[in-house]
Amino acid sequence: MYPVIEWKDGKVIMLDQRLLPAVEKFIVHQSHLEVARSIKDMVIRGAPAIGIAAAMGIALGVAELQDDPAIKKPGVLEAKFKEIVTAITATRPTAVNLFWAATRMEKIFRESPGDYPLLRDKLIAAAIALDKEDYEINRRIGHNGQALLSSGDTVLTHCNAGALATAGYGTALGVVRAAVEKGKKIKVIAGETRPYLQGARLTVWELQQDRIPVTLITDNMAGLVLKKGLAQAVIVGADRIAANGDTANKIGTYSLAILAKYHGVPFYIAAPLSTIDIETPDGDHIPIEERDPAEVTHFRGQMTARPETAVYNPAFDVTPGALITAIFTEEKILTPPFGAAIAALEGLRRK
Ligand code: MRU
């Protein structure tokens, strides 16, 4: 299992994904504000991993209150808990797993009696359990999805929906891993994923660690790859799936889905049920994060366009459900019409 995030000795340790693949460095977080900054700055990224970080950040925030005598006064602990949750959830708006994890922690807060040590321990245990649970969920997504891959297939993927984006197995790359574990020969083509290069830096790195054959392309090569029949399936992850199946994922996913449709290649989403947001009716209602223009004008401090250049830098786009062949979840494979398939899901957690 990859050491993406870990609760250790009352601290939260994260692999600094900004530095990969050149440097493997871990950051130790002692406060929830440090965790919030790391989510915002993409030390950790990927929807499920962000959810785990949120849960651990909230648990850490409550643990920080240990020596604060004010929490004994009526209402103070609740007010401080709300501040912690606000700090954590104000980081990245699109990945719904962040809010899903915060809601889970809020439920524990509400259900716990006013016994601070018990509450703190319950929140820490819940955050650690969420990490373990995510790993198992990814394995089940992988098991379900791999059934649609044949030995000899090449999978085109985008961004990083792998071990690094989750507790350590991956959603889209979990499907590849599960197929390989079944003895199927699978190759991957990874789009580099401008501007942050999660594909080049992270997907390629983690597949190389597992010795799964991977070929890197720049994003603008995907059309040619699909036209030439070099990939038999496109599999990507998701940051938020609306109630009708419209899916937000890394910018560039929508273009890939159109290309896949045009070339008759199946386009699959692999995601846990926690990424399905039944409160959001369709893709138009999914908030799309816009990031710092410097991500487009610069790469790691190196100028690639004049800094004063006007830039549009949405981090995600929305693929309409009509372009999606199937959604792999831990419970089952969803097929169109997605509105009905999602409404019928048993495992969906409501607020
Ligand atoms: O901006 P990022 O790196 O957090 O974006 C990540 C993605 O878009 C992933 O594809 C998505 O979160 C699914 S991760 C299993």
Side-chain angles (χ1 to χ4, degrees):
M1 189 165 26
Y2 291 84
V4 177
I5 181 165
E6 194 186 357
W7 180 279
K8 200 168 177 205
D9 303 330
K11 301 180 184 77
V12 177
I13 324 271
M14 290 179 206
L15 177 60
D16 189 346
Q17 299 194 24
R18 298 169 305 181
L19 305 179
L20 289 173
V23 176
E24 288 174 42
K25 188 183 151 210
F26 291 87
I27 298 186
V28 180
H29 301 78
Q30 316 241 27
S31 75
H32 71 285
L33 291 178
E34 288 171 5
V35 171
R37 170 120 321 261
S38 280
I39 296 173
K40 196 167 182 52
D41 290 352
M42 314 248 286
V43 168
I44 192 161
R45 29 66 50 203
I50 291 173
I52 299 162
M56 289 194 182
I58 291 168
L60 190 56
V62 171
E64 279 168 63
L65 301 172
Q66 178 147 287
D67 299 321
D68 186 346
I71 59 168
K72 296 207 172 77
K73 293 189 199 138
V76 173
L77 182 57
E78 186 171 4
K80 291 201 181 256
F81 183 77
K82 277 191 182 145
E83 271 173 36
I84 294 164
V85 172
T86 303
I88 293 287
T89 52
T91 49
R92 298 196 71 192
T94 305
V96 76
N97 307 60
L98 175 71
F99 306 95
W100 172 85
T103 303
R104 218 182 192 195
M105 300 300 266
E106 280 168 334
K107 192 162 177 274
I108 293 168
F109 183 88
R110 277 200 310 275
E111 287 169 1
S112 303
D115 174 346
Y116 170 77
L118 183 66
L119 171 70
R120 178 199 57 208
D121 293 351
K122 272 186 167 182
L123 290 170
I124 294 171
I128 294 170
L130 199 140
D131 187 30
K132 287 207 173 69
E133 186 188 307
D134 185 68
Y135 187 80
E136 291 313 317
I137 284 172
N138 280 283
R139 289 200 71 101
R140 279 159 54 202
I141 294 170
H143 175 78
N144 289 341
Q146 65 77 31
L148 296 187
L149 294 182
S150 305
S151 195
D153 279 355
T154 295
V155 171
L156 174 60
T157 192
H158 189 59
C159 192
N160 173 264
L164 289 165
T166 62
Y169 190 73
T171 56
L173 298 188
V175 174
V176 171
R177 285 196 167 90
V180 170
E181 282 167 21
K182 285 263 178 205
K184 297 179 189 174
K185 289 202 184 327
I186 306 292
K187 290 181 185 163
V188 174
I189 296 178
E192 69 172 346
T193 318
R194 276 278 290 154
Y196 214 71
L197 302 193
Q198 290 94 329
R201 297 190 301 103
L202 309 177
T203 291
V204 169
W205 181 79
E206 69 165 80
L207 290 175
Q208 285 169 340
Q209 305 272 315
D210 275 8
R211 300 188 192 287
I212 294 174
V214 55
T215 300
L216 176 65
I217 59 168
T218 62
D219 301 327
N220 49 358
M221 296 171 187
L224 181 69
V225 162
L226 292 174
K227 182 170 188 243
K228 290 184 104 176
L230 299 180
Q232 287 66 49
V234 180
I235 312 181
V236 296
D239 285 84
R240 191 184 296 226
I241 301 172
N244 71 344
D246 293 352
T247 296
N249 190 50
K250 180 52 56 192
I251 190 75
T253 301
Y254 174 44
S255 320
L256 273 187
I258 292 173
L259 286 171
K261 183 89 170 174
Y262 184 80
H263 293 290
V265 174
F267 181 89
Y268 301 125
I269 299 286
L273 296 178
S274 54
T275 305
I276 299 177
D277 179 12
I278 49 169
E279 316 280 327
T280 299
D282 55 44
D284 290 343
H285 290 83
I286 299 177
I288 300 294
E289 175 184 10
E290 285 189 34
R291 293 189 61 87
D292 187 349
E295 288 181 0
V296 178
T297 56
H298 291 69
F299 183 70
R300 286 192 169 154
Q302 180 75 36
M303 187 173 72
T304 54
R306 295 290 314 163
E308 63 273 21
T309 307
V311 165
Y312 177 45
N313 186 21
F316 303 96
D317 57 27
V318 174
T319 299
L323 295 176
I324 299 168
T325 310
I327 301 174
F328 305 151
T329 74
E330 65 270 38
E331 200 171 292
K332 54 162 76 141
I333 294 178
L334 308 180
T335 50
F338 291 116
I342 288 170
L345 277 172
E346 305 230 322
L348 263 197
R349 287 149 241 190
R350 285 156 209 272
K351 272 183 198 161

